[in-house]
Amino acid sequence: MSRIAAKFAALRAEGRRAFVSYVMAGDPDYATSLDLVRGLPGAGVDIVELGVPFTDPMADGPTIQQAGQRALAQGMTLDRTLDMVRAFREGDDTTPIVMMGYYNPIYSRGVAAFLKDAKAAGVDGLIVVDLPPEEDDELCLPALASGIDFIRLATPTTDDARLPRVLQNTSGFVYYVSITGITGAAAPEAADVAPEVARIKAATDLPVIVGFGIRTPDSARAIAAIADGCVVGSAIVAELASGKSVADVLAFTADLARGAHSA
């Protein structure tokens, strides 16, 4: 059983929703970022999404774009992101790690080499936002063959005709983007999101996790209650960008996790 499947099985057994956090690898520097990632499970994070910095992050809002720019300025690369996963795995062999980013760095490195190294490093899943299902041969199917989940995003514009194609080779979980737009945009309303989550769950047995725009424990609780869990990214990244210490950012994250887990 994969780490992602095992995590969701354990959460179901406990009657809890998942809390997923996103942080940008290398922001504001490698050492601080690694300290933060290492502390996330203790703050209640069930699955870590680790952003790979990229020069043209078209799906990201200003907060995460700026985090990526800070990381790139510090020399963060795809290889160093894999180094961070390896370092994390030295002390934690159970928390799932999902790498989230764009295809260009993977393509430039070579898909086969990347997947081999990602698997060896301890990566459990990939979210690659600029590869549609029509390009599954590029990375999705090779990733699945290597034992790495390929997690697809569904959005408010994914209609009933499109949804089966989106779900076809998705594994691990489905990431539902609760609003139309970029990361860090307006807060989602649970009443609006619930019917969409139900529609997706009727079409798949995979867990459905909702992200984009969640900033408070109350919002995390409300969204997690109508799904299998929630994702918070921009709000955590913004705390770090404001100059807060790693301990303060982890305390903020723990409050969000308690909100999600109380759903």
Side-chain angles (χ1 to χ4, degrees):
M1 182 183 290
S2 71
R3 290 188 188 94
I4 293 175
K7 175 58 68 174
F8 280 109
L11 288 166
R12 282 193 297 270
E14 297 167 5
R16 292 201 303 165
R17 287 358 190 242
F19 179 69
V20 183
S21 70
Y22 170 98
V23 294
M24 177 65 72
D27 176 39
D29 56 67
Y30 182 94
T32 303
S33 180
L34 179 57
D35 284 346
L36 178 59
V37 173
R38 282 174 166 162
L40 290 173
V45 172
D46 298 301
I47 298 173
V48 175
E49 277 186 27
L50 190 60
V52 181
F54 181 52
T55 53
D56 187 22
M58 62 184 181
D60 296 321
T63 298
I64 291 178
Q65 285 187 26
Q66 290 161 15
Q69 291 301 314
R70 290 191 295 269
L72 290 169
Q74 290 291 319
M76 200 63 184
T77 62
L78 178 59
D79 282 346
R80 294 197 76 201
T81 304
L82 291 174
D83 287 342
M84 184 173 289
V85 177
R86 292 186 194 97
F88 176 84
R89 286 283 173 236
E90 292 172 2
D92 187 321
D93 195 41
T94 58
T95 302
I97 290 186
V98 174
M99 289 180 65
M100 184 171 186
Y102 297 83
Y103 185 44
N104 183 277
I106 297 171
Y107 176 81
S108 298
R109 197 176 194 282
V111 168
F114 166 74
L115 291 174
K116 179 182 177 182
D117 291 344
K119 183 67 176 177
V123 173
D124 301 293
L126 299 174
I127 299 175
V128 182
V129 297
D130 54 348
L131 273 181
E134 287 75 15
E135 305 296 335
D136 275 358
D137 288 343
E138 287 281 329
L139 180 61
C140 174
L141 296 180
L144 296 177
S146 72
I148 296 176
D149 285 319
F150 199 87
I151 296 152
R152 194 81 71 187
L153 276 65
T155 74
T157 60
T158 306
D159 61 20
D160 289 340
R162 180 66 173 169
L163 185 60
R165 189 66 181 269
V166 169
L167 297 175
Q168 184 174 5
N169 293 314
T170 298
S171 63
F173 60 90
V174 179
Y175 187 137
Y176 180 66
V177 177
S178 60
I179 53 175
T180 302
I182 53 177
T183 59
E189 293 291 337
D192 297 330
V193 175
E196 293 301 301
V197 171
R199 182 170 66 93
I200 296 168
K201 289 181 73 65
T204 181
D205 293 330
L206 292 171
V208 179
I209 304 298
V210 177
F212 280 46
I214 301 169
R215 296 186 181 87
T216 67
D218 285 345
S219 180
R221 181 184 303 110
I223 295 299
I226 51 89
D228 295 296
C230 68
V231 184
V232 178
S234 294
I236 296 171
V237 172
E239 287 291 298
L240 189 62
S242 73
K244 300 283 182 64
S245 68
V246 168
D248 286 341
V249 176
L250 291 173
F252 175 79
T253 303
D255 284 342
L256 292 163
R258 280 189 287 271
H261 291 150
S262 66

